[in-house]
Amino acid sequence: MTYNSKRILLCIDDSESSKHAVDYVAGLARGDDRFVINIFHTVGPVPVELREFSGAENPKTEEHLDSELQQKQDDWARMAKSEARPLLENAMLQLSALGIPTSTVTTLLLKHGEDFISEILRTASGNRCGTIVVGQSSFPWF
């Protein structure tokens, strides 16, 4: 697969460093219509209380509890994604205000997995991004 340095994966959250990262990327891409910017944000991880339950002796009860847990996880993911959408929209507006055409910007919203760094690399690879810019508050597990 060929990667292109003018294809940028911009990883953001709601931190001040993300705003600076958006400014940085706008500075790189301004005036060059060959740039493609993919704004990437993950929601999650799923709260501990929604990850698993203690189980049940009765298979019917187990099935019911499992279904109930899955519904709660789905509800949480839906709510988290809807709360994150304004973050992506604001980053796109910020880029637009800095002279980047919105036609060259896409947004990606993913559910947080166990290995955030691998998710970034996998997403960059899938989008053939040769440049990754991360504007996140911190990586406490680093």
Side-chain angles (χ1 to χ4, degrees), residues 75-92:
D75 291 345
W76 175 87
R78 208 171 6 268
M79 183 185 69
K81 286 181 178 181
S82 71
E83 289 173 358
R85 290 212 189 284
L87 177 68
L88 295 170
E89 291 168 6
N90 287 338
M92 188 176 267

Side-chain angles (χ1 to χ4, degrees), residues 35-53:
F35 275 91
V36 174
I37 302 167
N38 298 280
I39 306 171
F40 172 81
H41 178 70
T42 58
V43 295
V46 176
V48 174
E49 64 272 12
L50 296 180
R51 291 189 192 159
E52 58 185 49
F53 60 92

Side-chain angles (χ1 to χ4, degrees), residues 14 18 24-25 27 54 59 68 71 75 83 87 89 121 132 137:
D14 61 352
S18 285
Y24 173 75
V25 167
S54 58
E68 200 173 84
Q71 182 62 46
D75 291 345
E83 289 173 358
L87 177 68
E89 291 168 6
L121 296 174
I132 300 172
S137 54

